[in-house]
Amino acid sequence: MTAPPRPRAARFATFMFFGLNGFAMGMWVVHIPDVERATGISHSTLGALLLVLGGAAFAGMQIAGPLVDKLGHRRLVPAAGVLLGLALCGPGFADSWWTLGLTLILFGFGNGAIDVGMNSHAVVVERAYPRPIMAAFHAMWSIGGAFAAVIGAATLGGGVPTGITLTCTGLLCVLLSLVSARFLMEPAEAPAVVASEPSQVVRRRTPGRVVWLLGLLALALMLSEGVANDWAALHMEKVLGTSSSTAALAYGAFAVAMTTGRFLTDRVAALVGPAAIVRYGATLAAVGLTTAAAAPWVPVSLVGWALFGLGLSGGVPQLFTAAGNLDTRASGALMARVVGLGYVGLLAGPALIGGLTRWMPLNVTFAVPVVLCVLAAVFAGVLSPKPEPVEEPVGS
């Protein structure tokens, strides 16, 4: 059974927004050192400005959530993409901490808004499909980031000014946002072909309580992801004593496994359900990180980081889908809470590990994300509540 042409076009547009968001973020990340040198700011000032960017993104998520419910995806998502693209043009021309700070506030806000908007739209599109498709969208974000790393390295190696590179990237985001806008789909246009029964069951329960549980699970899993992003390579270099080039393989193993897992998750979720994806994925992640942290040999540690990425790959998309289906009338607002809490975890994880390294070895600090993954596995049942709400339609 395949989806009608309208949902297929909307699915393609959603892939486009996820890809361009990953590409924009990746292009900013690879040019951070050049921007730092051009503005003459210190590492500590840059760190503070990155926190400002994170705060602006969180604010964008919380504001965009209710707005997407009121204005619709066809208005908010492209608007957020345009803001993101225009803001990306700024850092390459910033010449002081405050001009960079202003552009990062706009960039962060646009990133947060498009993050919630495109995930909310992805849930709408998924309702029109006979099987889960959310994880593939998140894989596309990773693909966009990988393209950014390759293209960014090429432009930096070729001596292309950062301002020109980021401006071209930003304008491309603006163009793709405007072109893709007409293919987006509103909830009322989605055919009633929902593949996830657990989502419909949860929707009749108390959304307020369930959404916070989903948010805490997202925080736990994304905090673990943040630890791998910032500490995987350093662990290999500092704990196992490898070279910088070999240490980079740790994050590479994690990232490749996570991207591959997200392309595979949807078909597996259709067979076993979202709760099983979170439960067994988080368990695999805990085993993988424990292996990476305890292994005295580089090959075994690399296998551990790969298992960690594979285990984390499918959980967050399932949580976002469940949040978007809790109440279709407030899908964006509920999604904003879960995405926002997850984003807090992504930012807090690396900082938490950094703080703990003052009192214990780096590999020992990894016990924190391991415990969080175990807790996520234990509470994964929130995605598959018992069918007690069947009684509720009696009074309707």
Side-chain angles (χ1 to χ4, degrees), residues 1-10 123-130 185-195 200 325 328:
M1 182 178 181
T2 59
R6 177 65 175 153
R8 288 204 300 270
V123 172
V124 172
V125 176
E126 190 176 45
R127 291 186 196 129
Y129 273 76
M185 191 166 64
E186 302 298 347
E189 301 173 305
V193 186
V194 183
Q200 291 185 355
N325 283 320
T328 55

Side-chain angles (χ1 to χ4, degrees), residues 161-201:
T162 297
I164 293 177
T165 302
L166 293 184
T167 297
C168 290
T169 303
L171 294 178
L172 176 64
C173 290
V174 170
L175 177 63
L176 292 177
S177 296
L178 295 176
V179 170
S180 303
R182 62 188 295 263
F183 300 107
L184 299 181
M185 191 166 64
E186 302 298 347
E189 301 173 305
V193 186
V194 183
S196 175
E197 291 182 10
S199 300
Q200 291 185 355
V201 173

Side-chain angles (χ1 to χ4, degrees), residues 133-289:
I133 58 174
M134 175 66 89
F137 293 134
H138 286 251
M140 193 63 190
W141 192 96
S142 300
I143 295 296
F147 271 111
V150 173
I151 295 175
T155 56
L156 287 169
V160 180
T162 297
I164 293 177
T165 302
L166 293 184
T167 297
C168 290
T169 303
L171 294 178
L172 176 64
C173 290
V174 170
L175 177 63
L176 292 177
S177 296
L178 295 176
V179 170
S180 303
R182 62 188 295 263
F183 300 107
L184 299 181
M185 191 166 64
E186 302 298 347
E189 301 173 305
V193 186
V194 183
S196 175
E197 291 182 10
S199 300
Q200 291 185 355
V201 173
V202 173
R203 181 158 51 104
R204 291 186 166 91
R205 295 173 66 109
T206 52
R209 185 183 64 174
V210 176
V211 74
W212 290 116
L213 288 173
L214 294 173
L216 290 173
L217 289 176
L219 186 149
L221 295 182
M222 292 183 71
L223 185 149
S224 302
E225 180 182 344
V227 169
N229 291 342
D230 283 32
W231 292 101
L234 281 171
H235 164 260
M236 292 285 284
E237 186 175 348
K238 302 299 182 183
V239 177
L240 296 183
T242 68
S243 64
S244 297
S245 57
T246 301
L249 295 176
Y251 176 70
F254 172 83
V256 169
M258 173 168 273
T259 303
T260 303
R262 282 179 169 168
F263 276 119
L264 299 174
T265 291
D266 289 327
R267 295 190 180 278
V268 178
L271 297 175
V272 302
I277 292 292
V278 174
R279 180 177 296 113
Y280 297 113
T283 301
L284 178 62
V287 171
L289 185 54

